[in-house]
Structures are given as structure tokens and as C-alpha cells.
Amino acid sequence: DFDDHYWATCDAEHRFPWEFYSAMASAGWVGVCIPAEYGGGGGGITEGALVLNRVAASGAAMNGSSALHLTMFGLNPVVRFGNDRLRDMYLPRAATGDVHVAFGVTEPDAGTDTSRITTRAVDDGAGGFVVSGRKIWTTKALESEVVLLLARTDDPPEGATGSARFAGLSLFLAELDPAHVDIRPIPKLGRNAVASCEVAYDELPVEGWRMVGERGRGFAHILHGLNPERILLAAMSLGIGEVALRRAVAYAGEREVFDRPIGANQAIAHPLAESHMQLHAARLVMMDAARRYDAGEECAEQANTAKYLAAEAAFTAADRAVQTHGGLGYATEYHVERYWREARLQRLAPVSQEMTLNFIAQSVLRLPRSY
């Protein structure tokens, strides 16, 4: 019921796809990964990845899949480390799609180096905290009721290096109280139906029971969500690549120049065939990573590899779809320019391709750290 025109309109108007979100929530898809005891589907990352992959491949691309995935799996740290009060209050609502969750980690002056974040949670003397600071690229902040917020509660040991630099960071599921929070969308290239925001926290009160897991171990708790996040982003990327390739193949089979379909020309056909193989190969790695995660096996190498390969394959497929359409590929009418804009994001987020290569070089190949 939600075709390319729907998504193009939402993107052009910077309008959140409420109709789509409601339809997916009422059908139970938003809660597919929430544990069954809280009213969810009890599925794993495999089921979540498949749902988001099909959403993206329908033509919804990142606008559709991003609208869902933080509620679908963003509360994973709460499932794993949250107290009973947090779980009982928010997981049943997440299972029905009734609560929207944002993710507040990245800061203007910290970027990839999370150890340098300056958002501070100060003890209020009554068992709670007061949070002040600034975050950027907080997806869905405008629609969300709560945010998974990483803030510094304690200083790391003096002269700390390596993983010790992350000590003292704590994770909270905080309410986005407009009296203490200023949210401003960031103008950006694509995925404009789902805003990415700059969020300023001005002495936001946070009750002590809203801390997720242990004080000072917030970064370690966040790490448990990084591999599934990479798997989900890989699945979403592959969906974009699939729909872009599908449109390119259809156009190449119909468009005639010099009395024959342009798809008969190897300069058109071979790049599309190569993209098909690249997408298929990346999908196999993504599914292997998902299987490993759900089985409790080590999957960091596979999750990062899947994210890298899927991002490259999807962007290449989208770029070739634009090229196959020629000048019309630049026109919004054919939608491939929207896929191209949204496929570009995965090469930057949630981690850049360069940092993914660093991880493989250092953690898998055991090469010296370069930074």
C-alpha cells in the first residue's frame, strides 16, 4: 500500500511516514524482536534484518526502514541490561509500536572517538542525575518519547589509554522533556522523511532507575548493540541495492536505442550483472552474521564485513541504476536518484567504511593500531 510515490512525497515534504509506521505496528512487525514475555514476537536479529530488508526493497529504502528499526531493536540494551522497571514500562509498548526511541551518542566534537564525549550526568543528591550537553545525528528525536543517552557520570583514570578511556560513561533511557531539551533537525542530503537532529540538553532531570545497566559501564553496554546494528544496516542497504537494480533491469529491458533494448549492450548488462552478484554475496555474509549473533557466537568480523560489503554493493547498484537511466536517472520521477542518495548514507553511518577496515585490520588481521 506504500509505493514509490508515497515515499518520494514523504521525503520531499520532510514528513514522517506515520501511516506506514502505524500499519507495520498494528500488524506486529515493529515488535518482532521484542521478547515474547513482553508481548513481542520473540524473534532474533535474523527476523529483524529480514523485515527491514523487505521494507527497504519495496522502495521505502532508508525512509521506511529507519522509521522502524530503532523501536524494533534499539531497546536491545534495555532487554539485556535494563532493570525490571525499565523493561516492564517500555518493552510492552515497544512491542506494539507505541513508543518511539532515539539514540543519543554522537557529539559535535567527539565523532567516532566516543571516549571524548562531554555530555555530563551529575548526581542530583537524591539518587538521580541532571544531564547537560549536546548530541548530533540523533535519529527520530522529533518523534521520540525517550532517548538511549550516553553521558559521562565519572572521569576516567588519569592517563587512561585503550578501553580504560571509556570508563565512567553511563547509559540512560531518558525522557525527552521539552522543558529541558531543544531539538533541531539537521538539513541533509537524503532520508528526509526521518529527521536526524541536533539535541541540546539543559539540566535534564533523569531518575536513577533510568540508568541502563551499571554506572560507568555504559560504553560496554552500547557495544553489545553495535554488531546487531551493523547487521540491520547491512540488510537495509541490500534492500536499497535490490530495488535500484530491479528498476535498472526493467528500464534496460524496455528502453530502445538504435532499434534494440539498451540491456543488449554489454556496457549496460555487465555492470548490472556484477551488481547482482555483489548484492547476493553481501547478503550471504549478512545472514551468516545474523545467524551467529542469534546463536550467541562471535560475530564481530562477520557483522562488520556485512556492513562494509552491503554498503559498497548497494551504492554501486544505485549508482549504476542512475547511469542506466541516463539523464532520466537524475529526474525524481524515476526514483533511482532517491535510492542513490539513501544508499550513500551507509558508507558513512553508523560507522565509516574506513573505520570498518581499521577494525578488520586490527582485530582480525592483528595489524598494529593506526590511531
Side-chain angles (χ1 to χ4, degrees):
D1 297 330
F2 303 94
D3 58 12
D4 278 297
H5 176 72
Y6 173 83
W7 293 110
T9 301
C10 288
D11 190 71
E13 296 178 354
H14 293 229
R15 177 170 60 86
F16 189 82
W18 287 111
E19 304 87 353
F20 168 77
Y21 183 90
S22 297
M24 291 293 284
S26 63
W29 295 112
V30 176
V32 68
C33 297
I34 302 296
E37 58 264 38
Y38 295 101
I45 193 66
T46 302
E47 287 80 8
L50 290 173
V51 170
L52 294 178
N53 174 262
R54 292 297 85 202
V55 168
S58 74
M62 287 294 288
N63 276 324
S65 50
S66 292
L68 304 176
H69 99 269
L70 283 172
T71 301
M72 281 180 63
F73 214 80
L75 288 173
N76 190 45
V78 175
V79 174
R80 285 178 169 254
F81 306 108
N83 56 57
D84 288 340
R85 185 172 180 180
L86 280 174
R87 290 172 178 161
D88 292 341
M89 179 172 289
Y90 289 106
L91 295 184
R93 294 181 59 201
T96 62
D98 181 52
V99 63
H100 290 263
V101 184
F103 197 63
V105 174
T106 306
E107 294 187 4
D109 298 321
T112 302
D113 188 358
T114 306
S115 68
R116 294 181 58 195
I117 70 170
T118 58
T119 296
R120 196 90 190 187
V122 179
D123 294 86
D124 65 3
F129 300 86
V130 177
V131 177
S132 295
R134 192 156 59 105
K135 301 287 186 179
I136 58 171
W137 301 118
T138 303
T139 297
K140 282 181 67 175
L142 289 172
E143 293 80 24
S144 294
E145 175 183 332
V146 290
V147 57
L148 271 168
L149 182 65
L150 193 64
R152 185 164 289 287
T153 51
D154 306 278
D155 293 323
E158 190 171 347
T161 59
S163 59
R165 296 178 301 129
F166 299 95
L169 295 173
S170 298
L171 185 63
F172 300 90
L173 187 64
E175 288 190 304
L176 287 166
D177 183 352
H180 298 273
V181 177
D182 181 59
I183 303 173
R184 301 188 181 189
I186 300 170
K188 59 187 193 298
L189 176 69
R191 205 199 66 175
N192 287 311
V194 180
S196 299
C197 304
E198 181 175 3
V199 183
Y201 298 89
D202 183 13
E203 298 188 347
L204 173 69
V206 180
E207 299 96 329
W209 61 269
R210 290 185 173 276
M211 181 179 287
V212 179
E214 299 177 45
R215 178 170 178 156
R217 288 183 49 79
F219 185 73
H221 300 331
I222 285 286
L223 284 179
H224 281 268
L226 295 186
N227 287 332
E229 182 183 40
R230 280 149 176 68
I231 295 167
L232 292 179
L233 265 292
M236 293 150 68
S237 294
L238 293 170
I240 299 173
E242 179 183 327
V243 67
L245 182 62
R246 187 168 69 238
R247 277 193 168 270
V249 169
Y251 187 80
E254 298 170 357
R255 171 68 168 158
E256 292 192 2
V257 178
F258 303 120
D259 299 321
R260 64 178 181 180
I262 61 172
N265 300 314
Q266 292 178 350
I268 297 292
H270 284 183
L272 299 182
E274 184 181 38
S275 278
H276 171 79
M277 292 187 287
Q278 290 171 341
L279 290 167
H280 183 65
R283 181 183 178 89
L284 292 176
V285 180
M286 182 272 290
M287 292 299 292
D288 181 43
R291 181 198 63 78
R292 286 173 176 269
Y293 181 86
D294 287 338
E297 299 174 10
E298 175 58 47
C299 67
E301 176 185 351
Q302 290 77 15
N304 279 277
T305 300
K307 185 269 176 190
Y308 183 94
L309 295 179
E312 292 298 313
F315 180 75
T316 300
D319 193 64
R320 286 171 174 172
V322 172
Q323 196 71 16
T324 298
H325 283 74
L328 292 176
Y330 212 66
T332 58
E333 177 185 356
Y334 286 79
H335 300 287
V336 289
E337 58 81 28
R338 177 167 56 85
Y339 306 149
W340 182 89
R341 287 186 285 118
E342 298 196 15
R344 185 62 180 84
L345 175 60
Q346 278 65 257
R347 299 176 78 194
L348 295 169
V351 64
S352 70
Q353 298 293 78
E354 291 78 11
M355 287 302 292
T356 305
L357 292 173
N358 281 338
F359 173 83
I360 297 297
Q362 294 155 18
S363 299
V364 180
L365 304 181
R366 304 300 179 188
L367 292 171
R369 187 180 177 93
S370 62
Y371 56 94

